[in-house]
Amino acid sequence: MCADPVGEYGQSCLGRERMFQYFSSVHGTPILLYRLNYAIDFKYGVLLEVAKSVLAGKPLDVTMGHVNVIWQGDANEMAIRSLLHCASPSKILNITGPETVSLRWLAGEFGRIFNTEPQFVGEEQPTALLSNAAESFRLFGYPRTTLKQMIDITARWLLQGGKTINKPTHFQERKGQF
């Protein structure tokens, strides 16, 4: 598959990977390219952004349509375990959750918990930034924290007035302008 990064950030990530791959090949240094999207916890991430929109009655832009998410603790564990799988030439490993999650469905789940009807803007596009993490599941098994658990933890945190990092993920950005 040919990489086709969108925007300056995507291009810089690919450039970084190519440099690591080059020097791994030249020097025989075992490495692993750890590609992570979207790690979340109760103070940050895609689920929090969706939940906050639903709770506040703000329209959620569903243009991106779908996302993958993984609990940050599970992603951290996989990062450490990945050190055992470095290779030269380099190995690439996608890290994310197993579900392709519809933003409409996700907003509906938060709406059910918050007893409110989600509002939407935009129209789902046929493409989204998604990852196939099948190889990471083969190596490490499925993440311990389920999507339902992540939704429940995030909702409970918001309802209890928990503090957040208040930093957007830009997960809805489709043109690479972060």
Side-chain angles (χ1 to χ4, degrees):
M1 179 195 283
C2 179
D4 187 18
V6 176
E8 193 172 310
Y9 176 73
Q11 291 171 6
S12 70
C13 291
L14 183 60
R16 175 184 63 227
E17 286 186 357
R18 294 295 188 254
M19 292 299 292
F20 276 102
Q21 288 173 319
Y22 172 77
F23 284 104
S24 171
S25 176
V26 167
H27 300 292
T29 306
I31 67 168
L32 183 132
L33 299 174
Y34 181 92
R35 292 181 175 168
L36 172 65
N37 70 296
Y38 290 108
I40 67 114
D41 73 10
F42 51 90
K43 293 182 179 183
Y44 172 81
V46 174
L47 297 188
L48 178 67
E49 290 181 42
V50 171
K52 284 171 66 174
S53 290
V54 172
L55 188 59
K58 294 181 179 176
L60 176 68
D61 184 354
V62 293
T63 305
M64 186 58 77
H66 296 81
V67 294
N68 306 111
V69 294
I70 186 169
W71 190 250
Q72 184 68 58
D74 292 330
N76 291 348
E77 178 187 342
M78 289 180 180
I80 292 167
R81 293 173 71 192
S82 291
L83 294 172
L84 298 174
H85 299 279
C86 295
S88 181
S90 60
K91 181 174 184 69
I92 296 173
L93 197 58
N94 293 329
I95 304 293
T96 194
E99 299 89 358
T100 298
V101 185
S102 159
L103 289 176
R104 281 188 190 272
W105 177 86
L106 187 56
E109 289 298 296
F110 283 117
R112 184 183 54 75
I113 294 168
F114 300 146
N115 197 28
T116 187
E117 191 67 33
Q119 306 299 312
F120 301 104
V121 296
E123 186 175 320
E124 291 92 338
Q125 296 300 300
T127 60
L129 177 58
L130 300 170
S131 291
N132 179 343
E135 177 64 5
S136 69
F137 305 142
R138 185 186 73 75
L139 292 172
F140 310 129
Y142 282 94
R144 292 183 191 173
T145 311
T146 67
L147 179 59
K148 180 173 178 3
Q149 289 171 318
M150 289 184 268
I151 290 169
D152 291 344
I153 290 167
T154 301
R156 194 168 54 246
W157 185 256
L158 276 178
L159 288 172
Q160 293 173 356
K163 292 183 180 181
T164 67
I165 295 173
N166 203 25
K167 186 174 181 180
T169 62
H170 301 282
F171 77 93
Q172 296 163 315
E173 174 57 47
R174 298 185 60 82
K175 296 182 180 171
Q177 302 298 316
F178 299 100

